[in-house]
Amino acid sequence: MNDARVRMGPLPHGHGVLFRVWAPHARAVAVTGTFNDWAAAGTPLAAEEGGRWAAEVPGVKPGDAYRYLITAADGTLLRRADPYASAMTGSLGDSLVPGPDFDWSGTEDYRTPGWDELVLYELHVGTFNDEPGGGPGRFADVVARLPHLAALGVNAIELMPAAEFPGGFSWGYNPSAPFAVETDLGGPTALKELVKQAHLHGIAVLLDVVYNHLGPGDLLLWRYDGWHQGEGGGIYFYNDGRARTPWGDTRPDYGRPEVRAYLRDNALHWLEEYRMDGLRWDATAYVREADGTPLPDGWNLMRWVNDEIDGRQPWKLSVAEDLRGDPRLTEPTPAGGAGFDAQWDAGFVHPVRRAVIVPQDRDRDMYAVRDALTHRYSPAAPRRVVYTESHDEVANGHARVPEEIWPGHADSWFAKKRSTLGAALVLTSPGTPMLFQGQEFLEDRWFDDQDPLDWSRAERFAGLVTLYRDLIALRRDLRGTTAGLRGPHIDVHHVNDTDKVIAYHRWTRSGPRDSTVVVANFANRGYDAYSLGVPHGGLWRVRLNSDWHGYDPAFAGHPTHHTW
């Protein structure tokens, strides 16, 4: 975080709390709260360099509620929550002094998996494990399902945003208080407990963060010290056309040093205070561009924050959701790139989804699938996250893949076969594979923040869960037979656009227990006999036959000569 001399927010110590806030246009600032009986005048803060105000206040305890009293330049008295508060009573509520240090014991030996080991699982806390008709799911409810995820084999979960937002139901991409943990999801201690328990299960935790805009609802930073230009949002935002985003006129002012530091501190807050293993930046195209015009301030912010992360915790992961196909996002900063470790790959998801969803074989383009498999942002490494389902692909009128394949018949043979075919490509392609919550048990409903997963399907489709487990085991090379699936290399050596069959060789160093060939049949028919080449001679063993009866009684059960 910041150097101790300019550390922002509430800083507890043995005798009380040091409060510090940035309000450069204020005439005066005070703090009031439960510790001074919400005194109308509050305890005054002294002006510091750079528009900061600070004071040591004795007798303040963890959990005490407080607000800043800011006298604006025109004399208006403003009651403001703390921009750096890690907990609040609600999105429009009071700030809370942080509690004692969290007990992380038992996780000292945990290490974040490397990129070649990761299998990501994106989830939304509010709907992941919840009873229909009640409040949103909570962090503790995710903890209860960690054994399922560990057994499935995923070793990293990606949480949709958990910063304080208006109300109890939301996707989370409308942060009101960027440092505070959403109250209705359980608050700061519960989020730390989730991270701790995930690490104890061998699962990394990544968090979505939103820096392309803030709010717009219940936005505590809006015109924070009373100053603004025109219709602008004040000191934390651009006050001209650069503020405009698809989500409101609330783009942060990336060129203002104090705002840059605020966003940098936020990233480090999640990585260090909460021990997150990485961050996924939402819609980075809207950080680096404004209305389609390059925004150098935003580009420089991303570079700076990624360099800060690499300098402090280089094993932590930084992922961009840009979806514009720009390789500069994942190029190193010394080479002029933004320094992200990977980016979501639109060049994979769309052609693969189309190939499994369209009903007629004539509309499946095997050359487009080939290009999706081989797409990469860097000649040296794929630097991409590949998936067929994410919160964006399965919401706002777009159904889950099984439902898209045959609307109203998501449990059908066609839906099962083609949706798992897409998942097989995800888990055997170069890059980092990602699943979306419930994908492993054929969840069919489109994603909605008030519609929880139907966990009864995990038992109903237990065979398909086993198929995903076996695919993940191959991807992670848990049995020491498919190391090539963890490597960067791919050769799509067979493309049959007539019969809709594709085959590709994956390897790290090549050779036995490394070289792996994947054969995928996209046709609406099976083949009793089919010939294709392999990379070199010798005995090749079948490690997975997705048509096995054990995965689903309706599958044909074509025989294979070798198994595990």
Side-chain angles (χ1 to χ4, degrees), residues 23-43:
H25 300 280
R27 286 189 191 176
V29 178
V31 62
T32 187
T34 52
F35 44 84
N36 59 13
D37 295 324
W38 296 103
T43 302

Side-chain angles (χ1 to χ4, degrees), residues 50 61 69 88 90 100 103 118 147 160 194 261 277 317 458 500 542:
K61 306 180 299 301
L69 304 176
M88 297 179 64
D103 178 10
L118 278 179
M160 290 170 67
L194 168 56
D277 298 278
L317 310 172
K500 306 303 176 184
V542 174

Side-chain angles (χ1 to χ4, degrees), residues 127-159:
T127 59
F128 182 64
N129 186 23
D130 180 26
E131 293 296 327
R138 297 165 70 84
F139 299 121
D141 300 318
V142 178
V143 171
R145 294 292 184 181
L146 288 175
H148 166 83
L149 296 176
L152 187 64
V154 299
N155 56 2
I157 56 176
E158 180 184 311
L159 306 179

